[in-house]
Amino acid sequence: SRVLAPMTMVEQSTSEVFHNTFVGIALANPNDYESKLKLRALTYDARERALKMDPGTVPSQGQKANLTSELVDLSSGGGFLMAEGTPPEAKGFFMVGNNDLNRLDGVGGFLRASSELYLPMIRQNETNSTYLFLFNPSLTPGQHARLRLYDGNGEFQAEKTVQFAGLGALGGTLDKIFEETIDLDEGYLEVTAQMPLRGFEFLGGTEAYHAMTAQPVYGTARLVSPHFFASRSGGSTLRLLNVGDREVTGTLTGYTDNGEVIGTAELDVGAHKLYRRSVTELLEIDTSKLGANENLIGYLTVEMTDGTHHLPKVIGTLTFQGNSGKWLSTLPLLSRGKNRTLF
C-alpha cells in the first residue's frame, strides 16, 4: 500500500481556515527488518517534482517524520507525496496543523479503494471549509469520476466531473473544486468513478480541524464504535448516512467498558439522508452528575434494518469533541473487526 499526503493545504484552498498551516508526514516500519522507502513528489496531474531530501531507509521498529517543507520546495507549487516501502508495504500518517499549534488533526491507516465512495462530513460556509483529496491508484490515464454534493436532507447541491491522470489526484476546498460558491452547513459527498479511488476529507473550522477517510459502502445490519465519551465540556456526535433507497430504522445502545447498558435510543434515517445527533442527548446522559474533569466512557452499537431481507447501506462516523469544541476527532463506525492494527 501507499502512504499519501498533500504537500500543502494552502495552494488549493480559498478558505482562511487552511492558511498559515503546515503538513507533516510520518513513515513507520513495525517489522523486524529494515525497510527501504521510495518517496515521490507529484503534481495533481502526476508529473514528477524534485525532492529536497530522500528519507532513505526506516530501521526495524522505527519511524521517520518530516515536514513536507523539508522534503519539497513548496514555493514551486503544490501537489502530493506518495511513499512506498520495499519491503514491506509503507505504513504511516500525515498531520495538518496551524502555526499557532491550536488546531491539529491527521489521516492514517489504510485508505480503502472503491469506485463508489462517500464523505459524510461536509461543511462549506463562512466559518467552515472542507478540503477534499482523491487519488487514482491506477496507471491508466483519462478516467473520469463524478462528484455529487448533497445537503443533510439528501437535496442535490452541485455536481462536477473530473478526469484523473494515472497516479493522479484531486485536491482542494469544495468551492475550488466545484468552481462555484458553496454554502452548506451539513451535507455529504458522493463519488462514483470508472476506476477505484482512495481519498479523505479534512474539515477546518475556526476552533479545530478534523479529518475522515472516504468510505465505501458495504451492506450491514450492525455498526460498532469501540469508544465514546460524555463529559460536561464535550462528548460524541453520531453521524449515520443512509445511501440506500429505503428508510432505515435502528437501535443505538451505549455500554460501559464492562458491558453494562448505559441506555438505548431508537433511530430513523430516511433514504439518502444524513442523521446527526449527540450521543449524550440520545442516551439521555445527565452530565451534571459528572465531576468537572470526569468522563463517562464506553462503546456503542447500532442495530439496523430497512424492513427487507437486504442489508442496509449505511455509513457511520463518531466525532469526539472536547474542551468546548477546541479539539475534534472523527472515526468511522466499524462493520467488521481486524486481527491486526497499528497505532
Side-chain angles (χ1 to χ4, degrees):
S1 68
R2 303 178 175 103
V3 177
L4 303 168
M7 295 179 192
T8 173
M9 304 286 280
V10 176
E11 187 195 39
Q12 294 295 103
S13 171
T14 58
S15 172
E16 291 184 2
V17 301
F18 292 123
H19 292 179
N20 193 34
T21 55
F22 63 86
V23 181
I25 182 171
L27 301 169
N29 178 15
N31 297 282
D32 295 329
Y33 41 83
E34 185 177 77
S35 176
K36 170 67 177 176
L37 284 177
K38 180 182 180 182
L39 183 67
R40 298 172 68 183
L42 298 169
T43 62
Y44 285 111
D45 57 1
R47 290 179 288 114
E48 294 279 353
R49 290 197 45 196
L51 290 169
K52 291 166 63 176
M53 63 172 287
D54 184 349
T57 61
V58 181
S60 168
Q61 307 296 330
Q63 176 177 280
K64 285 194 173 181
N66 294 94
L67 295 174
T68 56
S69 57
E70 297 175 310
L71 300 171
V72 67
D73 181 8
L74 299 181
S75 65
S76 300
F80 65 101
L81 296 172
M82 181 173 69
E84 299 174 281
T86 53
E89 60 185 24
K91 297 182 186 296
F93 64 93
F94 75 89
M95 300 288 288
V96 176
N98 68 341
N99 290 337
D100 295 326
L101 297 179
N102 54 16
R103 285 180 280 179
L104 183 72
D105 200 13
V107 174
F110 182 67
L111 300 178
R112 291 186 287 180
S114 177
S115 58
E116 182 181 1
L117 291 170
Y118 290 87
L119 297 116
M121 194 177 68
I122 299 294
R123 290 179 184 169
Q124 191 77 31
N125 51 37
E126 291 184 357
T127 56
N128 296 277
S129 184
T130 301
Y131 191 100
L132 173 68
F133 180 89
L134 295 170
F135 170 69
N136 174 21
S138 166
L139 294 173
T140 305
Q143 300 190 75
H144 293 81
R146 185 187 70 179
L147 282 58
R148 303 195 80 189
L149 186 64
Y150 298 88
D151 68 14
N153 292 318
E155 297 293 330
F156 172 79
Q157 300 295 305
E159 181 174 327
K160 179 77 173 181
T161 298
V162 181
Q163 180 173 296
F164 285 82
L167 296 183
L170 172 71
T173 52
L174 292 185
D175 45 3
K176 192 87 169 180
I177 290 172
F178 284 94
E179 299 178 298
E180 62 179 274
T181 300
I182 304 292
D183 188 7
L184 189 62
D185 292 333
E186 194 76 45
Y188 65 92
L189 184 71
E190 174 193 74
V191 180
T192 54
Q194 294 176 301
M195 65 295 188
L197 297 175
R198 306 179 193 273
F200 58 83
E201 58 177 310
F202 219 95
L203 182 58
T206 55
E207 295 285 351
Y209 297 149
H210 57 134
M212 179 66 196
T213 55
Q215 297 293 300
V217 181
Y218 303 110
T220 182
R222 188 172 193 259
L223 291 169
V224 176
S225 174
H227 180 68
F228 88 96
F229 86 99
S231 73
R232 289 187 183 182
S233 63
S236 310
T237 299
L238 176 69
R239 277 186 182 84
L240 296 173
L241 173 60
N242 177 10
V243 302
D245 296 326
R246 296 177 63 90
E247 181 183 67
V248 170
T249 59
T251 301
L252 170 72
T253 305
Y255 299 87
T256 67
D257 285 346
N258 294 323
E260 299 169 354
V261 175
I262 295 171
T264 63
E266 300 304 310
L267 313 173
D268 298 294
V269 189
H272 305 285
K273 292 188 177 182
L274 179 66
Y275 179 96
R276 179 180 179 270
R277 286 285 302 277
S278 160
V279 174
T280 300
E281 295 175 1
L282 286 169
L283 299 182
E284 298 181 347
I285 298 169
D286 186 357
T287 57
S288 68
K289 295 181 180 179
L290 300 173
N293 298 312
E294 183 182 4
N295 294 323
L296 174 66
I297 61 173
Y299 65 94
L300 303 172
T301 64
V302 184
E303 309 284 348
M304 302 171 294
T305 179
D306 66 359
T308 72
H309 64 280
H310 298 292
L311 293 173
K313 292 184 176 180
V314 175
I315 294 166
T317 69
L318 199 69
T319 297
F320 305 96
Q321 173 182 303
N323 196 18
S324 301
K326 288 185 170 56
W327 65 259
L328 296 165
S329 182
T330 299
L331 294 174
L333 300 189
L334 306 176
S335 60
R336 61 195 72 182
K338 298 178 181 180
N339 57 17
R340 187 184 183 193
T341 192
L342 173 68
F343 292 92

